Amino acid sequence: MSPDILQAIVLTIITAATPLLIAALGELVVERSGVLNLGVEGMMIIGAVTGFGAAQLTGSPWAGVLAAIVCGALFSLLFGFLTLTLATNQVATGLSLTLLGLGVAGMVGERFVGLPGVKLGTLDIPLLSDIPLIGKLVFGQDPIFYMSVALAIGVWWFIFRTRAGLTLRAVGDNHGSAHALGINVIGVRYLAVMFGGACAGLAGAHLSLVYIPQWVEGMTAGRGWIALALVVFASWLPWRVVVGAYLFGAVTIAQFHVQAQGLGIPSQFLSALPYLATIVVLVLISSNRRMTMRNTPASLGKPFVPER
Amino acid sequence: MNKLATTLLAAGAALAATATAQAADAKACWIYVGPIGDYGWSYQHHQGLLAVEEQFGDRVETAYLESVSEGADAERAIERFARSGCDIIFTTSFGFMDATNKIAARFPDVKFEHATGYKRESENVATYNSKFYQGRYVLGQIAASVSEAGVAGYIGSFPIPEVVRGINAFMLGAQSINPDFEVKVVWVNTWFDPGRESDAAKALVDQGVDIMVQHTDSTAPMQVAAERGIKAFGQASDMFAFGEETQLTSIVDDWASYYIERVGAVLDGTWEQHDVWGGLAEGHVVMAPYWNMPYDVAAMANDTEKRIMVGDFEPFTGPINKQDGTEWLAEGATASEGELLGMNFYIEGIDDQLPE
Amino acid sequence: MIRIELDRRPQHSTLFSILSPFIAVVITALIGALMFAMLSKSPITGLYAYFIEPLTEVWSLHELIIKATPLILIAVGLSVCFLSNNWNIGAEGQFVMGAVAGSILPVLYPEITGPLVLPMMLLMGLAGGMAWATIPAFLKARFGTNEILSSLMLVYVAQLFLDWLVRGPWRNPEGFNFPETRSFHADAVLPEMMSASGRAHFGFVFAILAALVVWFMLAQTLKGYEIRVLGASPRAGRFAGFSQRRMVFFAFLLSGALAGLAGIVEVSGAIGQLRPSISPGYGFTAIIVAFLGRLNPFGIVAAGLILALSYLGGEAAQISLGISDKVANVFQGVLLFSVLACDTLIRYRIRIVRPKPQPAPEPEAVKARLEAAQ
């Protein structure tokens, strides 16, 4: 296999993994604060449609990126209000958020159907982008890829190296004690939920501005759920989210390469591989109990109402 | 509560009033399997509906239901239409076949038209389909003429006869220009999932194909081809806007003339059951402008199109061997409609195994 | 700034237990009316189409029951899961596998007929769903694998498996290679209840029976107590001598069995053959139904009917008003949010905290207050 083809394949895998990575990192922060938001799919599609729409209206893909981030965060506030202020069940509220998001996005997006999108271009630095094997990988990708890398490092740094990150983890591990220590549990959680919404929105913008620059209904096609799976898969550690996202991307892309060889393996079996692989890895990771227990936010999914 | 009841009653009365005040001579109704926003299969059927509205104006009232799932929901949707005063109902997916026939038996006064199926169990059910494969033969000829690598990537939805027929026709066209032409087939198991389609397209480009053919509905493969600088064919709609330097041509589904004809027949009272496979000749399959190719290739494609149109030529004409080398059609023999309808084998020269 | 604060009620409010669904419906109706107005449709006609029109005709009531049957069956099983803190999100997959297992007889052995075929099919459907649910249960009990994700991933696997079957080995030999199995013979079809007026089948009876049985179990038996205790506090459950591991299996197998039954009932009663897709997401919608019904079997019956109504109403509104089916999704989302929000009233007293309105303060007074605050 020539270096060029290898580079092309790796690029394809990275593009497939980037939206998953971004959404999963956002959800990781949310879950670290003890909140389980199953509405990632819904927030993602809101990001996709608003990103596409804003880029279309202004002609600038960056306006799209911005709009997606803002709208993702605003949409997540709806979830925040119900689960944090009104202490509703997080699982049910998250599922409803997905349902609502898909519906709203479909309604908003009706006028965008069939329009060619505005594509967020890739970087192209003369000379540097032409270095064999790594040129395009390091210097020739779309801006959101670089944002995802920065986000991965930033989230890791934030959670494990800052005071605020410590507060976040404290809230997620034991909201009762955190409250007793004078931490504004609800406030922290609101911020985390909005961060998750912003990330899901950005992931959606990647879909409609980079991955496939167009708007079609239901274009997230279950990626939000995969992002959720990645967080558990990574046992709430950012670097593992990165590994997981790229692994999942690789399996997704590999099936098409296998098919193109014309071996006659039922394509349904190949399509099922990423899901089966996820289960296998989940089992492997969860069988290491100590490791999982240490990182699982103990208050995950439990509503918190401060006693007065 | 009392107020609510009065408003509801008023609403009911208002609704009844609109129902009686109906001025249209006929009501035509459509059921789509996907969203009309797919810019593919359902979108094109909806374009047909719009053409009917334009043609007949106030004489015809229209209605549609989109994203109707093919299980129990289909039967309910069709029955709702039959009961709501539709005179003719178009059910536009293969999966609606049994539901259409079931309801048709109970509503003998309503006309039913089922796309792509083969069951006509009562007098009021007609079936219709298009010979998209005719267009795919032309695509094959263009592909083999334009391709430098001699390999095309083919994104298939599902290995059903319709799609297999398309691959075979494409390959016959290609072989008529370059007997050694190759095709790499990838099944994505969906009609419509831009993400998967674009993943598949990227994988195919990475495998070294320089022509992209799709038998799925989204514009994603076209966009990937544009990004990677190879040529591609559109499907269902003219996708030129998604690849101005990429699209060679596109096989456009054009249901407008058929729908206008059939709704017109209902208005005239001349509607009769039939099974129609329209193709290039009937204008049900339309080739988008030939573009991004040398003049002589466009001329050849145009010529083939015209020959099929006037009936001089039919893609599935012998000699054709099956993949294993056994004879399928002898010299000069043409395939019967039954053979075309249920086609589930590759022809010789396709280096892929059809999943069983 | 205005803030909302919650005060836990000493006991659940009986008043709001009854009132809250109605408040939710009113809120939904108001938002819905606003939405219709924004789409420049008459709000009254819109709401009429959604909530009343589907109830005005007998055939439509039949359809309502057909649509609600799988939702109720699945959701009743899920309520046991959720109450015991087992997050089975993969009922859709169990539904599919139940349909597949239950279809073995009529598809592969169509020559076997007689009155025993249908009961056999139903049992096999039950077993199929149960078997598929065993996988996440086993993984959770044995390895501690997160069941939300394993059960969800298995949905995709089940759907692809069904797809492979109907396009490959189970394809109808007389079907021109189209992706569907042969149609079930008469003995394999679940009979209709009142075939004179519509096509509702006996599946609804199963759904009601399931709700009754599960209600009895939850309310009247030790098992029900065990489910609640383990769900509320695993630690307390352990002290009481209940096994969490056994509960994982119990909850998953029960909900899997009911989802599987729903699958074969849908295929045998409403569709009559297997096809590549047999469910418009019943397994996922049922999660919503379970919560809408507050995890109470009778509540679930009502919730299943309401959600089914919103689907039928969505269609009616598409036809009579020409609004898109997306509105139906939005509507369901709004309804759910309202119900969830209003349920808060049952457990909490809501207090709106705001600064008391005061005459515009003198600058001096502000300064004094600030100092006092420090």
Short mmCIF file of all heavy atoms in Angstrom, two decimals, chain A residues 17 21 230 233-234 237-250 281:
data_model
loop_
_atom_site.label_atom_id
_atom_site.label_comp_id
_atom_site.label_asym_id
_atom_site.label_seq_id
_atom_site.Cartn_x
_atom_site.Cartn_y
_atom_site.Cartn_z
N ALA A 17 -14.29 10.06 12.66
CA ALA A 17 -14.22 10.01 14.12
C ALA A 17 -14.43 11.37 14.78
O ALA A 17 -14.87 11.44 15.92
CB ALA A 17 -12.87 9.43 14.55
N LEU A 21 -15.89 12.22 18.49
CA LEU A 21 -14.93 12.63 19.51
C LEU A 21 -15.42 13.90 20.23
O LEU A 21 -15.44 13.96 21.46
CB LEU A 21 -13.58 12.88 18.85
CG LEU A 21 -12.46 13.41 19.73
CD1 LEU A 21 -12.21 12.46 20.89
CD2 LEU A 21 -11.18 13.58 18.93
N LEU A 230 -19.23 5.91 23.70
CA LEU A 230 -17.79 6.15 23.83
C LEU A 230 -17.41 6.62 25.23
O LEU A 230 -16.34 6.28 25.72
CB LEU A 230 -17.35 7.19 22.80
CG LEU A 230 -17.19 6.68 21.38
CD1 LEU A 230 -16.89 7.83 20.43
CD2 LEU A 230 -16.09 5.65 21.31
N PHE A 233 -17.37 3.62 27.39
CA PHE A 233 -16.26 2.86 26.82
C PHE A 233 -14.94 3.41 27.35
O PHE A 233 -14.02 2.68 27.69
CB PHE A 233 -16.38 3.04 25.31
CG PHE A 233 -15.24 2.56 24.48
CD1 PHE A 233 -15.36 1.39 23.76
CD2 PHE A 233 -14.08 3.30 24.36
CE1 PHE A 233 -14.33 0.96 22.96
CE2 PHE A 233 -13.06 2.88 23.56
CZ PHE A 233 -13.18 1.69 22.85
N ALA A 234 -14.86 4.73 27.46
CA ALA A 234 -13.62 5.36 27.88
C ALA A 234 -13.51 5.43 29.39
O ALA A 234 -12.56 6.00 29.91
CB ALA A 234 -13.53 6.77 27.31
N LEU A 237 -12.48 8.77 30.93
CA LEU A 237 -11.13 9.34 30.79
C LEU A 237 -10.98 9.92 29.39
O LEU A 237 -11.19 9.22 28.40
CB LEU A 237 -10.07 8.25 31.01
CG LEU A 237 -10.01 7.67 32.42
CD1 LEU A 237 -9.05 6.49 32.47
CD2 LEU A 237 -9.61 8.75 33.41
N PRO A 238 -10.60 11.20 29.28
CA PRO A 238 -10.56 11.85 27.96
C PRO A 238 -9.66 11.14 26.95
O PRO A 238 -10.04 10.99 25.79
CB PRO A 238 -10.02 13.25 28.29
CG PRO A 238 -10.37 13.49 29.71
CD PRO A 238 -10.34 12.16 30.38
N TRP A 239 -8.47 10.70 27.38
CA TRP A 239 -7.59 10.09 26.36
C TRP A 239 -8.18 8.83 25.80
O TRP A 239 -7.99 8.47 24.64
CB TRP A 239 -6.19 9.85 26.92
CG TRP A 239 -6.11 8.80 28.00
CD1 TRP A 239 -6.24 8.99 29.33
CD2 TRP A 239 -5.87 7.40 27.81
NE1 TRP A 239 -6.12 7.81 30.00
CE2 TRP A 239 -5.89 6.80 29.10
CE3 TRP A 239 -5.66 6.58 26.69
CZ2 TRP A 239 -5.70 5.45 29.30
CZ3 TRP A 239 -5.47 5.22 26.89
CH2 TRP A 239 -5.49 4.66 28.18
N ARG A 240 -8.98 8.13 26.62
CA ARG A 240 -9.61 6.91 26.12
C ARG A 240 -10.74 7.24 25.14
O ARG A 240 -11.04 6.44 24.26
CB ARG A 240 -10.16 6.10 27.27
CG ARG A 240 -9.09 5.32 27.98
CD ARG A 240 -9.76 4.15 28.64
NE ARG A 240 -8.85 3.43 29.49
CZ ARG A 240 -9.25 2.47 30.31
NH1 ARG A 240 -10.54 2.19 30.40
NH2 ARG A 240 -8.39 1.83 31.04
N VAL A 241 -11.36 8.39 25.32
CA VAL A 241 -12.38 8.81 24.35
C VAL A 241 -11.73 8.96 22.99
O VAL A 241 -12.27 8.54 21.96
CB VAL A 241 -13.04 10.15 24.77
CG1 VAL A 241 -13.94 10.67 23.68
CG2 VAL A 241 -13.84 9.97 26.04
N VAL A 242 -10.54 9.55 22.99
CA VAL A 242 -9.83 9.73 21.72
C VAL A 242 -9.57 8.38 21.06
O VAL A 242 -9.89 8.16 19.90
CB VAL A 242 -8.49 10.49 21.96
CG1 VAL A 242 -7.74 10.64 20.65
CG2 VAL A 242 -8.76 11.84 22.60
N VAL A 243 -9.01 7.46 21.85
CA VAL A 243 -8.72 6.13 21.32
C VAL A 243 -10.01 5.48 20.80
O VAL A 243 -10.06 4.96 19.68
CB VAL A 243 -8.09 5.23 22.41
CG1 VAL A 243 -7.91 3.81 21.90
CG2 VAL A 243 -6.76 5.81 22.86
N GLY A 244 -11.06 5.55 21.62
CA GLY A 244 -12.32 4.92 21.24
C GLY A 244 -12.89 5.49 19.96
O GLY A 244 -13.32 4.75 19.08
N ALA A 245 -12.88 6.81 19.85
CA ALA A 245 -13.46 7.44 18.66
C ALA A 245 -12.72 7.01 17.40
O ALA A 245 -13.33 6.65 16.39
CB ALA A 245 -13.43 8.96 18.80
N TYR A 246 -11.39 7.01 17.47
CA TYR A 246 -10.63 6.63 16.27
C TYR A 246 -10.79 5.14 15.96
O TYR A 246 -10.86 4.74 14.80
CB TYR A 246 -9.16 7.03 16.43
CG TYR A 246 -8.98 8.53 16.32
CD1 TYR A 246 -8.26 9.26 17.25
CD2 TYR A 246 -9.60 9.23 15.29
CE1 TYR A 246 -8.14 10.64 17.17
CE2 TYR A 246 -9.50 10.61 15.19
CZ TYR A 246 -8.77 11.31 16.14
OH TYR A 246 -8.68 12.66 16.04
N LEU A 247 -10.88 4.35 17.03
CA LEU A 247 -11.09 2.92 16.82
C LEU A 247 -12.42 2.67 16.12
O LEU A 247 -12.51 1.93 15.15
CB LEU A 247 -11.09 2.23 18.19
CG LEU A 247 -10.59 0.80 18.24
CD1 LEU A 247 -9.12 0.78 17.85
CD2 LEU A 247 -10.76 0.23 19.65
N PHE A 248 -13.45 3.35 16.62
CA PHE A 248 -14.78 3.18 16.04
C PHE A 248 -14.77 3.66 14.59
O PHE A 248 -15.32 3.01 13.70
CB PHE A 248 -15.82 3.94 16.85
CG PHE A 248 -17.23 3.58 16.49
CD1 PHE A 248 -17.85 2.51 17.11
CD2 PHE A 248 -17.91 4.29 15.52
CE1 PHE A 248 -19.13 2.16 16.76
CE2 PHE A 248 -19.20 3.94 15.17
CZ PHE A 248 -19.81 2.87 15.80
N GLY A 249 -14.13 4.82 14.36
CA GLY A 249 -14.02 5.32 12.99
C GLY A 249 -13.34 4.31 12.08
O GLY A 249 -13.77 4.06 10.96
N ALA A 250 -12.27 3.70 12.60
CA ALA A 250 -11.51 2.75 11.78
C ALA A 250 -12.35 1.54 11.42
O ALA A 250 -12.37 1.11 10.26
CB ALA A 250 -10.25 2.32 12.54
N VAL A 281 -15.48 -4.43 23.55
CA VAL A 281 -14.56 -3.55 24.27
C VAL A 281 -15.19 -3.10 25.60
O VAL A 281 -14.50 -3.02 26.62
CB VAL A 281 -14.19 -2.33 23.41
CG1 VAL A 281 -13.26 -1.42 24.16
CG2 VAL A 281 -13.52 -2.81 22.14
#
